[in-house]
């Protein structure tokens, strides 16, 4: 048997690629002798994939987007076995998403939506974007999966009917599967603050790594300073709490250390996907610092700085070019 990534149903028969699924997914990474290897982490990302319709200087372009999809893309380009479970249609935009992600080694598992979701992004002079969404979120119904790590976030955790499915999936994972969430709150879609905060904290309490942007922190915890927000996230369960602050860099905290890391200095084209690329790099850095290893993750001050600077570098490269286009490890 050749080495590589194999996916099977529970009975061992091959799993159809890029098709609607409704069954337990068992993901194995093996070498040529069929033994498990740690050359790459097996990461399942659960969340939206969509098309960003970008309007700049009266010119409209379309790019593949969606926060979880961008994280899956970043992880695939950094060399991990990345799979995205999402909700897209078998239409032209859905096909574009699938082909784009597969080109970077990301497998796509999706439901049978009537149309592929979109986000219309209007760019400001500083490269930031305001979004208007046309989307649905109803991912494939699936029982707990076998993977090294599960990541979720954004609308996947608070837009029904899919958010309940995601939370049940997250909470049913075996204890040895590590987890992460990136809040990525979309106020226009979020609904009642109390309900969204309760859902987010329920998800965060099940996760080893939690990331917020400073805008997320302001929306979820409007009366707290960022340092207090980090304390709250660590109190929920998180081993690593991160707040990204755009051009002001990142704050990272663990039970034993806290650091501030500056943003990378780049000529910004736009910030679309930069935070998602940072999330992928944070996970990549955490894996290299021992997340999921028998001895656990080392998160002293030097380790936090390594993770933070790596995330800043990857995010900076993404911001230096148009759309959500994270770098490969070879590029870096």
């Amino acid at each position: 048997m050749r080495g590589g990534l194999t996916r099977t149903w529970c009975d061992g028969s091959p799993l159809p690629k890029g098709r609607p699924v409704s069954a337990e997914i068992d993901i194995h990474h093996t070498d040529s002798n069929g033994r498990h290897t740690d050359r790459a982490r097996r990461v399942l990302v659960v969340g939206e994939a969509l098309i960003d319709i970008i309007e700049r200087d009266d010119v409209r372009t379309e790019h593949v987007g969606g926060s979880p999809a961008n994280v899956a893309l970043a992880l695939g380009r950094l060399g991990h076995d990345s799979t995205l479970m999402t909700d897209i249609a078998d239409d032209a935009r859905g096909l574009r998403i699938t082909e784009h992600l597969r080109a970077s080694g990301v497998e796509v598992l999706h439901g049978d939506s009537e149309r592929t979701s979109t986000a219309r992004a209007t760019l400001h002079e500083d490269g930031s974007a305001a979004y208007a969404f046309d989307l649905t979120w109803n991912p494939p119904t699936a029982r707990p999966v076998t993977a090294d790590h599960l990541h979720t976030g954004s609308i996947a955790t608070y837009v029904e009917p899919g958010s309940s499915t995601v939370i049940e999936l997250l909470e049913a994972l075996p204890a040895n599967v590590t987890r992460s969430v990136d809040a990525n709150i979309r106020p226009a879609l979020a609904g009642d603050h109390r309900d969204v905060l309760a859902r987010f904290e329920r998800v965060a309490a099940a996760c080893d790594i939690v990331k917020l942007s400073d805008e997320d922190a302001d929306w979820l915890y409007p009366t707290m300073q960022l340092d207090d927000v980090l304390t709250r996230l660590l109190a929920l369960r998180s081993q690593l709490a991160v707040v990204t602050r755009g051009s002001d860099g990142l704050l990272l905290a663990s039970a034993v250390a806290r650091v501030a890391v500056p943003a990378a200095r780049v000529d910004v084209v736009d910030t679309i996907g930069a935070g998602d690329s940072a999330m992928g790099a944070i996970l990549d850095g955490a894996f290299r610092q021992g997340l999921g290893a028998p001895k656990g993750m080392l998160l002293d001050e030097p380790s936090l700085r390594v993770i933070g600077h790596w995330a800043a570098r990857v995010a900076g490269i993404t911001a230096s070019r148009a759309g959500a286009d994270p770098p490969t490890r070879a590029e870096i």
Side-chain angles (χ1 to χ4, degrees), residues 286-306:
F287 295 150
R288 288 188 286 161
Q289 295 298 325
L291 178 65
K295 293 184 179 180
M297 183 166 49
L298 178 63
L299 289 176
D300 56 9
E301 182 175 332
S303 299
L304 292 181
R305 291 195 182 280
V306 167

Side-chain angles (χ1 to χ4, degrees), residues 96-303:
R96 180 175 179 179
I97 289 169
T98 299
E99 291 179 343
H100 176 72
L101 292 171
R102 283 185 175 172
S104 293
V106 179
E107 187 57 76
V108 180
L109 308 174
H110 65 86
D112 191 19
S113 182
E114 292 184 359
R115 69 184 186 280
T116 296
S117 299
T118 62
R120 189 177 299 274
T122 302
L123 296 180
H124 303 307
E125 291 184 1
D126 63 357
S128 63
Y131 292 92
F133 293 91
D134 175 20
L135 58 81
T136 59
W137 174 239
N138 189 19
T141 302
R143 296 192 297 272
V145 302
T146 300
D148 297 319
H149 186 86
L150 185 143
H151 174 77
T152 190
S154 192
I155 70 164
T157 60
Y158 57 83
V159 171
E160 293 290 9
S163 62
S164 294
T165 299
V166 173
I167 292 172
E168 291 170 5
L169 173 64
L170 188 71
E171 293 179 340
L173 290 172
N176 64 338
V177 178
T178 54
R179 309 141 208 216
S180 59
V181 62
D182 181 358
N184 209 352
I185 299 294
R186 304 298 188 185
L189 301 172
D192 178 71
H193 177 271
R194 182 178 298 182
D195 178 63
V196 174
L197 177 60
R199 284 175 177 267
F200 168 74
E201 291 202 335
R202 180 178 173 183
V203 171
C207 289
D208 303 275
I209 299 176
V210 180
K211 182 180 91 67
L212 305 179
S213 68
D214 50 0
E215 293 177 343
D216 295 330
D218 287 344
W219 195 90
L220 287 167
Y221 303 104
T223 64
M224 289 188 185
Q225 299 297 312
L226 292 182
D227 197 54
D228 296 326
V229 172
L230 291 170
T231 298
R232 174 61 180 167
L233 298 179
L234 293 173
L236 289 172
R237 178 187 182 270
S238 174
Q239 296 182 56
L240 172 61
V242 181
V243 175
T244 57
R245 303 178 296 162
S247 60
D248 291 328
L250 302 88
L251 302 175
L252 299 92
S254 70
V256 297
R258 297 191 181 201
V259 302
V261 173
R265 294 185 178 182
V266 299
D267 293 325
V268 175
V269 174
D270 65 51
T271 62
I272 295 172
D276 306 323
S277 296
M279 182 73 244
I282 288 165
L283 293 178
D284 178 70
F287 295 150
R288 288 188 286 161
Q289 295 298 325
L291 178 65
K295 293 184 179 180
M297 183 166 49
L298 178 63
L299 289 176
D300 56 9
E301 182 175 332
S303 299

